[in-house]
Amino acid sequence: MSTTQTKDRRVHALLSEAGTTYAEEAGIRVADTPAPLWQVLVLSNLTATRIKASIAVHAARELFEAGGGTPAGMAELTWQQRVDALGRAHYVRYDEGTATRLGECADLIRERHGGDLRRLAREADKQRDRVEELLREFPGIGPSGALIFCREVQGIWPFLRPVLDGKALDGAARVGLPKSPDALAELVDGDDLARFAAALVRVALDKELADRVTAAG
């Protein structure tokens, strides 16, 4: 089997077995509209903490079901309601601080961006470095959280592509794929990059999954 065929098979296996974005797993229908973009910001805030991704995804679902799926809805939740939603997802140790930060994020996005992160993209002149810089103004969104947000929305914000962060590159190395973002981006269609990036992160975190993908090639 040629090297190209091996790569193609592994990419196919990645997308087939692990190509669900974390946003999709959290029930977010990612679109270039205010509510889904806010929801991805919430998920990025939760995921950037030192906690299992599955718990962060569950926490996002609980917050959205409680009414926090929009900035206004999050602001209307009391601090205790946010803590309770996080608790139902077993988002422990960070629940109280995160509940506070999410309220602050809801206030900031409404005051600074009119509740619409598309305004942030326009303010950044659709430059990825500037987008990340503006995202880091939100409490709880550091460099890691900003990259997670960009990784998840690159399907609808193509000016960010390719977003393949350190964890995605770790996954690529684990399954024998190229270790540079540009080389990896050439392996899939642009519209599949968000799924591909999520799959690479998943194999970085799951050795059994990585072994199945490697075996496919």
Side-chain angles (χ1 to χ4, degrees):
M1 187 184 300
S2 70
T3 301
T4 299
Q5 288 175 317
T6 298
K7 288 180 182 178
D8 288 346
R9 289 192 177 190
R10 289 181 183 174
V11 169
H12 178 76
L14 276 164
L15 293 175
S16 298
E17 293 207 34
T20 299
T21 67
Y22 288 94
E24 289 171 335
E25 189 178 347
I28 303 169
R29 295 184 177 181
V30 178
D32 193 22
T33 53
L37 291 170
W38 160 254
Q39 291 164 16
V40 175
L41 183 71
V42 171
L43 177 63
S44 302
N45 205 312
L46 297 169
T47 307
T49 306
R50 292 180 178 271
I51 203 161
K52 287 184 177 180
S54 58
I55 294 176
V57 166
H58 187 185
R61 281 184 170 273
E62 289 289 347
L63 285 162
F64 302 153
E65 289 175 6
T70 64
M74 186 67 78
E76 288 173 4
L77 293 176
T78 65
W79 177 82
Q80 188 61 55
Q81 286 174 320
R82 292 185 213 122
V83 169
D84 291 344
L86 294 169
R88 289 192 293 274
H90 305 292
Y91 195 93
V92 295
R93 290 183 295 167
Y94 307 105
D95 52 349
E96 295 186 356
T98 299
T100 299
R101 287 193 294 273
L102 290 175
E104 293 170 347
C105 285
D107 292 338
L108 179 60
I109 191 174
R110 292 188 298 166
E111 294 168 3
R112 176 75 184 273
H113 306 292
D116 187 350
L117 286 175
R118 293 176 300 182
R119 295 189 183 185
L120 180 149
R122 289 196 292 270
E123 181 179 339
D125 197 26
K126 297 187 176 181
Q127 299 298 309
R128 177 174 155 186
D129 288 349
R130 180 61 174 151
V131 167
E132 291 184 29
E133 181 182 346
L134 292 174
L135 286 169
R136 292 195 296 270
E137 294 180 358
F138 288 95
I141 299 289
S144 176
L147 272 172
I148 291 168
F149 178 91
C150 292
R151 189 183 75 209
E152 292 287 318
V153 304
Q154 64 183 315
I156 56 166
W157 284 4
F159 55 87
L160 297 173
R161 301 172 186 168
V163 186
L164 294 151
D165 55 13
K167 188 63 69 175
L169 298 182
D170 289 344
R174 178 171 256 187
V175 295
L177 291 177
K179 301 175 185 178
S180 79
D182 289 340
L184 284 169
E186 292 179 358
L187 300 178
V188 296
D189 291 336
D191 290 345
D192 281 332
L193 267 171
R195 296 176 57 227
F196 187 45
L200 290 170
V201 171
R202 291 180 190 279
V203 296
L205 299 172
D206 186 336
K207 185 178 183 302
E208 289 186 6
L209 176 60
D211 288 344
R212 291 201 303 274
V213 169
T214 302

